Amino acid sequence: MDDISRVPRKTARPPVPADGEGLAGVRLRFLTAEPIARHEVREPVLASWMRSREFDVPADRIDLPYIGDQDLDTPLIRGADPVLRRLGEELDGQPISLILTDQSGVVMMQRTGDRDLHRHLEGVALAPGFSYGERFVGTNGIGTALQDGRPMHVFGHEHYAEHLEDLACAGVPIHHPISGRVVGAVDLTCWRRDAGGLLMALAKSTAEQVRQALLTQGDACELALFRAYLQTCRRTTGIVVAFNERVTMMNDRARRLLDPADQSALIGHATQVLNERGRASAVVALPTGSKVEMACRRVTGRGDTEIAGGVLSVQFVEADDGYADASPYQVPMFLPGAVGTAPLWLRCCHAVEAGYDNREWLMLSGEPGTGKHTVARAMHQRRNPTGRLHTVDAAEPPPRWREDLRRDLVEDPVDTLVVRHVDQMDAAGAGELAALLRAVRERPGPPRTWVVATLTDDSAIDHGLGELAACFARTVPVPPLRRHADDINELVPLFLERLRRGQGLSCSPAALHLLMRAPWPGNTAQLYQVLKEVTRRRRHAGTIRPADLPEAFRSAPRRSLNRLEAVERDAIVQGLEDADGDKGRAAQLLGMSRATIYRKISKYGIVSTAH
């Protein structure tokens, strides 16, 4: 049986049980942190349940924020009102409610043709002004459809809140016909016993009618910008971005190749260009280090006097220093002794490889334990596997590294030299190293040795290391583990192989989920030490489960815990272990009620330690 803490995968499975007592029991087991099998509930519902638990949504009550003084004179309301009025007239007297919300799930309009259903919906605050966003009410047709960005039906006990279990709802996001952004949702709600397959079809049809109606509500500027965007997309296969103060449109190539920071920089530069000249071409350096050639033109609205926005055509260009453009940063790279496919990690690796190819000396900066030395060593082994590499620790007393540096750079040059912790050098030591590096640089011909320096605090470059930093072409940041946590999926098997030398120890999905949720202030080095501790306690092959992890890693908290909360969490974890995972017995051992321990388990995200 799989643990619910792992994100479900799309695999063949037995049919989901009917929406009755079977599903009600599955929901109860989920709420009490007991394991359930994947096939017992639909994938999108299970994913929403997990998010609802992360949001700390109460399952036993409806407690929603109320947004008063809503603006009902909006394009969405004007476009949707005649559509919902016509449909409401056709369904008059039927137990079905037509609901329109904004993009955050706040109910804007509600039309119900049945008095009993209307009274029930008012009792659960499914009424204008209340927010049915997923983070407030949990799994439901409105909030989950908006969260997933796709049509969603939720029947009966699939709802997270028990007060909604007599209802069935089908929600469909409404996408603006010009910008494509989600501007609201249409939801059809009825009694669970009356739900049928046509509910979702009717919701989709209604949402599409509202989307089409929005075209008549758009102003002339938006329509002019939209037409200019489509014309540019037809003329080029490159990156296209259209924008004004309210709308940003971009094609798939722009979304794929441009980071959000690059997108913002491009639009900011184009806005300045339009304000000054109206049409221009320019080469722009992006925050990720790429360079692009941007052609920008102004789009006007009525009578060519009102500015509708701008349209950009963008092409990558080769950088002057030989570095590749942004697209190769997404290409996986094999590095001996290192793994990772997250974008930030790959960007770092490609930048280091480009530096090696150009024979540029690099500084690698990052928090302790991020793998700065690992990246340098792995790049050397990738590009020069038979060459010599030597590492010098600048944190040691100068007599030790001074002799090593002179030997490795001058007397018997190695192929790669890594100087670690240069930010821990004093001014005299940094000056001495800088003088030695300059002397090597001034020799005829390219330097034989590729030099990499590592440092934790790159602000030291501006406070005492300026002369030394001038010897290096650039500084490449190595990301902390929390910013590429997906790579833990690959790091854990790699570290277990090193620690157990092929003795068949693996990590269960539940334990891996907990490791991926940890904050890792010590980064990759800390992950290795945790696994080292686990393997030291486990003398046999098998699977690492949550109970095998140190106490601090047996929960997936949704926020940082204070000292008292951490003590309470650890006590509950230990109590569950002493009780072999029996929550009732653990509650007795800890002197708390069964309801309290369930609530604490959910609060701290503790995964059952039962095998």
Side-chain angles (χ1 to χ4, degrees):
M1 182 177 291
D2 294 330
D3 192 278
I4 52 92
S5 61
R6 186 175 182 182
V7 176
R9 297 172 296 181
K10 294 184 178 180
T11 54
R13 58 177 59 83
V16 175
D19 183 19
E21 293 306 315
L23 186 55
V26 173
R27 176 179 166 276
L28 179 61
R29 295 206 312 274
F30 178 89
L31 293 175
T32 55
E34 295 184 12
I36 64 174
R38 297 182 186 280
H39 67 267
E40 292 184 284
V41 62
R42 292 189 294 126
E43 287 183 1
V45 172
L46 178 56
S48 177
W49 283 2
M50 295 171 67
R51 290 194 300 268
S52 303
R53 186 166 62 185
E54 288 190 21
F55 292 147
D56 277 329
V57 175
D60 57 350
R61 66 183 187 277
I62 300 292
D63 186 12
L64 307 181
Y66 177 77
I67 312 297
D69 298 327
Q70 297 172 314
D71 180 12
L72 299 182
D73 186 21
T74 65
L76 176 62
I77 296 291
R78 293 195 299 268
D81 182 65
V83 175
L84 296 184
R85 190 186 309 114
R86 285 195 304 269
L87 185 58
E89 292 172 355
E90 295 176 7
L91 297 175
D92 186 37
Q94 299 298 316
I96 188 168
S97 181
L98 312 177
I99 298 164
L100 178 75
T101 78
D102 67 7
Q103 71 274 13
S104 64
V106 176
V107 178
M108 308 293 289
M109 299 173 59
Q110 184 223 68
R111 297 177 183 273
T112 306
D114 179 79
R115 183 176 302 174
D116 290 339
L117 178 61
H118 181 73
R119 187 182 302 114
H120 183 79
L121 296 184
E122 285 189 332
V124 294
L126 187 46
F130 289 96
S131 176
Y132 253 69
E134 196 178 64
R135 65 174 54 250
F136 301 120
V137 75
T139 307
N140 72 96
I142 296 170
T144 305
L146 290 170
Q147 179 72 31
D148 287 348
R150 59 178 178 173
M152 181 70 185
H153 65 271
V154 179
F155 290 172
H157 298 292
E158 290 181 331
H159 288 93
Y160 191 79
E162 63 184 32
H163 288 76
L164 303 178
E165 59 191 7
D166 289 331
L167 300 173
C169 50
V172 181
I174 302 170
H175 294 268
H176 194 279
I178 294 178
S179 68
R181 71 182 187 275
V182 174
V183 295
V186 164
D187 175 81
L188 271 59
T189 295
C190 65
W191 297 114
R192 172 166 56 101
R193 62 178 181 268
D194 298 329
L198 294 178
L199 191 67
M200 176 55 75
L202 184 58
K204 289 181 179 179
S205 172
T206 305
E208 176 60 22
Q209 291 179 56
V210 174
R211 191 185 77 85
Q212 293 293 334
L214 284 174
L215 276 174
T216 65
Q217 302 297 322
D219 59 32
C221 287
E222 285 187 342
L223 293 174
L225 183 63
F226 184 48
R227 285 194 295 267
Y229 167 72
L230 292 179
Q231 290 171 358
T232 307
C233 287
R234 295 188 191 103
R235 290 198 303 263
T236 178
T237 58
I239 293 172
V240 178
V241 180
F243 69 95
N244 60 23
E245 293 181 354
R246 302 178 304 277
V247 174
T248 299
M249 295 175 276
M250 60 184 70
N251 61 359
D252 288 340
R253 189 167 176 82
R255 294 187 185 92
R256 230 176 28 245
L257 299 182
L258 295 177
D259 278 11
D262 291 344
Q263 296 169 11
S264 297
L266 267 176
I267 293 174
H269 188 84
T271 301
Q272 182 178 356
V273 168
L274 288 179
N275 290 336
E276 294 175 355
R277 291 182 294 271
R279 183 183 181 94
S281 296
V283 175
V284 180
L286 300 179
T288 58
S290 310
K291 284 188 178 180
V292 296
E293 184 175 4
M294 177 194 75
C296 177
R297 72 182 180 93
R298 176 181 292 177
V299 179
T300 57
R302 295 186 184 92
D304 293 335
T305 59
E306 190 175 6
I307 299 177
V311 177
L312 307 179
S313 299
V314 181
Q315 298 289 341
F316 283 103
V317 297
E318 289 293 328
D320 296 336
D321 54 15
Y323 273 66
D325 59 41
S327 55
Y329 288 130
Q330 306 304 321
V331 178
M333 173 184 289
F334 171 75
L335 286 178
V339 294
T341 55
L344 282 178
W345 175 257
L346 288 178
R347 181 176 302 149
C348 165
C349 295
H350 281 289
V352 174
E353 183 178 47
Y356 184 95
D357 291 342
N358 294 326
R359 306 307 295 172
E360 291 181 337
W361 294 351
L362 302 177
M363 279 188 163
L364 303 185
S365 67
E367 298 174 6
T370 52
K372 301 181 289 293
H373 182 258
T374 297
V375 171
R377 185 184 65 240
M379 191 58 63
H380 166 83
Q381 293 173 348
R382 169 181 165 90
R383 304 310 298 267
N384 190 6
T386 61
R388 290 188 300 152
L389 176 145
H390 191 235
T391 299
V392 175
D393 193 342
E396 295 181 347
R400 295 186 182 179
W401 55 256
R402 183 182 293 119
E403 183 178 342
D404 289 342
L405 286 174
R406 186 165 297 278
R407 181 190 66 241
D408 294 337
L409 287 170
V410 180
E411 298 170 4
D412 184 20
V414 296
D415 297 281
T416 299
L417 174 66
V418 181
V419 186
R420 305 182 69 182
H421 306 124
V422 296
D423 50 334
Q424 298 185 26
M425 304 177 81
D426 57 23
E432 185 177 345
L433 175 56
L436 182 59
L437 291 175
R438 283 198 304 269
V440 173
R441 278 287 192 193
E442 290 170 359
R443 291 182 172 184
R448 173 180 173 180
T449 303
W450 182 51
V451 182
V452 177
T454 72
L455 69 162
T456 300
D457 183 9
D458 55 9
S459 66
I461 295 175
D462 301 322
H463 300 85
L465 289 185
E467 184 182 3
L468 177 59
C471 299
F472 294 85
R474 67 188 66 244
T475 300
V476 177
V478 180
L481 183 56
R482 62 183 175 274
R483 296 194 63 190
H484 61 112
D486 289 350
D487 287 339
I488 291 176
N489 280 308
E490 301 176 59
L491 288 166
V492 168
L494 174 70
F495 290 162
L496 290 178
E497 178 69 21
R498 289 181 185 174
L499 291 165
R500 294 302 294 264
R501 301 185 183 278
Q503 295 181 18
L505 186 61
S506 61
C507 190
S508 73
L512 187 63
H513 173 75
L514 292 175
L515 293 175
M516 293 179 68
R517 290 285 300 274
W520 298 114
N523 296 296
T524 307
Q526 183 187 9
L527 173 63
Y528 182 82
Q529 290 302 318
V530 167
L531 294 175
K532 185 176 181 180
E533 179 182 344
V534 171
T535 56
R536 187 166 55 243
R537 294 199 303 264
R538 283 190 69 111
R539 300 296 182 184
H540 55 83
T543 303
I544 296 173
R545 301 191 181 279
D548 299 316
L549 300 176
E551 289 184 359
F553 293 90
R554 292 186 206 166
S555 67
R558 302 179 246 318
R559 57 176 176 81
S560 298
L561 305 181
N562 61 39
R563 185 173 299 179
L564 289 178
E565 289 174 325
V567 170
E568 184 178 54
R569 175 205 59 195
D570 292 346
I572 293 173
V573 168
Q574 187 61 52
L576 288 168
E577 185 171 330
D578 294 341
D580 294 326
D582 187 320
K583 299 178 181 63
R585 186 177 165 206
Q588 292 178 346
L589 293 175
L590 295 169
M592 62 178 63
S593 69
R594 187 181 180 93
T596 298
I597 198 171
Y598 281 150
R599 181 166 54 84
K600 298 291 186 181
I601 286 172
S602 176
K603 174 182 177 181
Y604 297 132
I606 298 171
V607 177
S608 174
T609 58
H611 292 277

